[in-house]
Amino acid sequence: METARHWWKECVFYQIYPRSFQDSNGDGMGDLRGIIDRIDYLVELGIGAIWLGPVCKSPNDDMGYDISDYQDIMEQFGTMADWEELRDKLHENGIRIMVDLVVNHTSDEHPWFMAARRAKDDPRHDYYIWRPGRDGREPNNWASFFTPSAWEYNEATDEYYLHLFSKKQPDLNWHNPAVRREVYDMMTWWLDKGADGFRMDVINLLCKTPGLPDAAGKEDMNGYVFPSEHIANIDPVHTYLQEMAREVYADKDIFTVGECLFMDTEEGRRYTAGENRELHAVFSFSHIDMDGQLEGKWYYRPWKLPELKARLTRWQDEIGKGWLGLFWSNQDQPRALSRFGVASGPYRMRCAKMLGLVLHNLRGTPFVYQGEELGMVNVPWPSTDQLRDVESLNFAANCRRTGADESFMWDALHRKARDNARTPMPWDASENGGFTTGTPWIMLNPDYPEVNVATAREDPESVFHFYRRLIAMRKEHLMMPYGKFQLIWPEDPDIFAYTKTLGQERWFIAANFTDKTCERPWPDKVGEPAELMLSNICDRNLPALGRLCLRPYEGVIIRCGKKA
Ligand code: TEU
């Protein structure tokens, strides 16, 4: 084994988007008590840890990713006592709790920013990033993720402040040691409270190119340029993360995973496998960015299976002694099945299982995003009135303002709007899917009467039960986390196949990504088929000697040769 054993490599994480998981008080919004009430479900799934989306005080311009108090709970979600009860009940059930750490920016309603914007000589002023205007306009040409410009004018000081996200999310100035101290103390406070780790929001964007030069890429529809080369992995971000690790968690058995955008494998290794380990794992977006163009995610770029395999393989091969968080989707992405599989028709649920089978056997720690285990898909949004996300709404407004084609706008929103992943968890076929007795803050996916937890529980062949088996298998087989990955048939346009090898044991994983039956000569180098470990079709047999035949969207795990 190239890597040390750790609990966080050997369990599956489940991502909860608190606002959409379970409402307990009828206000139409999920809350902490709702999660407490559903712990049985998590136990039944068999997961070992949750990633709890942001629950701190927030004006919710970006659904909790705009924090106004890091040490208090958003009223809509409950109280600190609820958080503590959730922690205790999860721990009693052997489930760890990883919290979301959002420290690239705060809310503009955070007391630090409210003081900072008042006067240049306020001690908090330097907590954020300020620049004078240039020719009566923004200091540079940077576009933000969510709004036209990454700058907002502040009258009281006659300056602009930088916000890579919405204008209610000013970026913190990480070069200020006082900011770093505040963050480390806050993190320690959460660990003392019993958090088992941090998912670190856009953690590789903390530093920006000194001098904040204009970005060189292509102008977007508003005439700004997205500055990816000036915001990601910029020195001294590694130094700061090493400092963070040293000050907060180097000596603790916790888990940290960094959400890292615009990162290549070399940087990934530096974050997770350097001499002074900064993070335990990173999320790479290489396979996620595949279907977007340089101008950004809204501009669809078609893809083919060999490219998906190549992107995932590169990370498998090059992360070295580091570690990956594995995911098909999260709260920012379309539903996995709509993006990588087939969202309707007879093979929908089979395909959902196949995607799970492929992901869970890669080397890394799998993250299941809520609803993925039900085979949820994107939403047929009837109008922009149903959308809730600042990113979707700003995009729609920009499209309309600049006269972009409606069909371009709708194609983009249906494909990529983050709202697709944020519809409420459908628990049963009753009104609002059992999510709330009130009016849900965002519409449910209209397929909830068929696609819901109660229905899935009753069907032994559901995606839900298949995910339970996958999750349980990981507890029995060190192969899943630790086996060495090797891609088979890189150019095959239809089949994703790879082997995992650990000691004397070898598994062959093969999945058909098409709606036709595919037959291939058995790849001799993987050894002879010895045992069918798992398949997403219940009548599957061990393949006959010499050939492999996979039905539409069929996926198999086959042990080959001798068992260790
Ligand atoms: O996401 C960062 C991020 O890159 C996303 O904004 C992504 O580019 C975008 O969603 C593509 O559609 C993190 C959080 O996961 C996201 O929910 C927050 O909105 C964002 O940071 C700001 O905190």
Side-chain angles (χ1 to χ4, degrees), residues 45-282:
L45 256 182
I47 49 110
I50 63 164
W51 153 14
L52 182 69
V55 296
C56 289
K57 267 217 158 49
S58 165
N60 284 302
D61 186 56
D62 186 21
M63 305 304 173
Y65 283 95
D66 47 322
I67 295 176
S68 54
D69 186 342
Y70 287 106
Q71 284 160 294
D72 202 354
I73 302 291
M74 191 193 299
E75 296 101 270
Q76 299 93 317
F77 288 176
T79 62
M80 194 54 81
D82 294 332
W83 190 91
E84 287 160 2
E85 189 179 329
L86 175 64
R87 169 203 63 198
D88 289 345
K89 295 210 163 126
L90 286 169
H91 284 167
E92 280 161 27
N93 284 285
I95 298 175
R96 290 180 164 94
I97 175 169
M98 177 174 81
V99 299
D100 221 312
L101 181 79
V102 187
V103 291
N104 173 70
H105 43 268
T106 66
S107 162
D108 66 337
E109 296 181 37
H110 193 292
W112 298 342
F113 189 74
M114 301 213 289
R117 75 184 316 169
R118 252 175 249 137
K120 288 185 182 175
D121 59 5
D122 188 287
R124 305 284 197 203
H125 188 71
D126 190 44
Y127 271 38
Y128 296 86
I129 302 172
W130 302 93
R131 289 290 182 279
R134 183 172 71 181
D135 309 325
R137 290 195 53 173
E138 299 90 2
N140 68 22
N141 69 352
W142 291 10
S144 96
F145 280 88
F146 297 160
T147 54
S149 166
W151 296 94
E152 185 70 13
Y153 183 66
N154 182 53
E155 225 181 295
T157 59
D158 186 26
E159 292 167 303
Y160 289 79
Y161 63 86
L162 180 72
H163 60 89
L164 294 184
F165 295 90
S166 94
K167 64 179 179 204
K168 288 183 65 63
Q169 294 168 292
D171 280 51
L172 282 165
N173 173 16
W174 269 76
H175 303 304
N176 183 339
V179 168
R180 305 206 298 278
R181 187 74 261 153
E182 298 261 21
V183 171
Y184 304 157
D185 289 348
M186 175 272 285
M187 291 172 74
T188 301
W189 184 86
W190 276 105
L191 291 182
D192 289 347
K193 259 201 153 331
D196 299 296
F198 299 103
R199 174 267 182 185
M200 300 188 182
D201 195 61
V202 291
I203 201 68
N204 67 330
L205 307 190
L206 299 182
C207 300
K208 286 81 182 170
T209 303
L212 312 181
D214 277 336
K218 202 163 156 189
E219 281 184 11
D220 63 15
M221 63 170 96
N222 301 297
Y224 297 96
V225 178
F226 193 76
S228 35
E229 76 276 24
H230 294 307
I231 59 175
N233 315 306
I234 306 291
D235 277 341
V237 67
H238 291 282
T239 312
Y240 293 161
L241 290 181
Q242 283 162 23
E243 177 185 77
M244 177 193 281
R246 227 173 25 242
E247 295 281 324
V248 183
Y249 52 78
D251 58 346
K252 300 197 168 71
D253 185 23
I254 67 149
F255 175 61
T256 59
V257 54
E259 185 203 24
C260 295
L261 310 175
F262 317 113
M263 167 184 65
D264 63 18
T265 52
E266 195 186 325
E267 287 290 340
R269 274 199 311 274
R270 276 183 83 186
Y271 288 117
T272 62
E275 239 173 78
N276 309 302
R277 179 160 65 192
E278 298 161 27
L279 305 169
H280 299 89
V282 284

Side-chain angles (χ1 to χ4, degrees), residues 390-452:
V390 60
E391 184 189 49
S392 313
L393 294 169
N394 286 353
F395 170 70
N398 281 334
C399 284
R400 289 182 169 148
R401 199 169 41 76
T402 57
D405 201 46
E406 277 276 306
S407 67
F408 159 76
M409 181 189 90
W410 273 115
D411 180 62
L413 288 168
H414 282 132
R415 265 185 209 285
K416 300 275 182 74
R418 306 196 296 183
D419 306 81
N420 284 301
R422 299 179 178 184
T423 60
M425 188 71 180
W427 294 99
D428 54 44
S430 70
E431 203 184 351
N432 294 324
F435 165 70
T436 180
T437 54
T439 307
W441 71 277
I442 188 171
M443 68 183 263
L444 275 90
N445 193 315
D447 68 9
Y448 82 83
E450 295 85 50
V451 181
N452 60 61

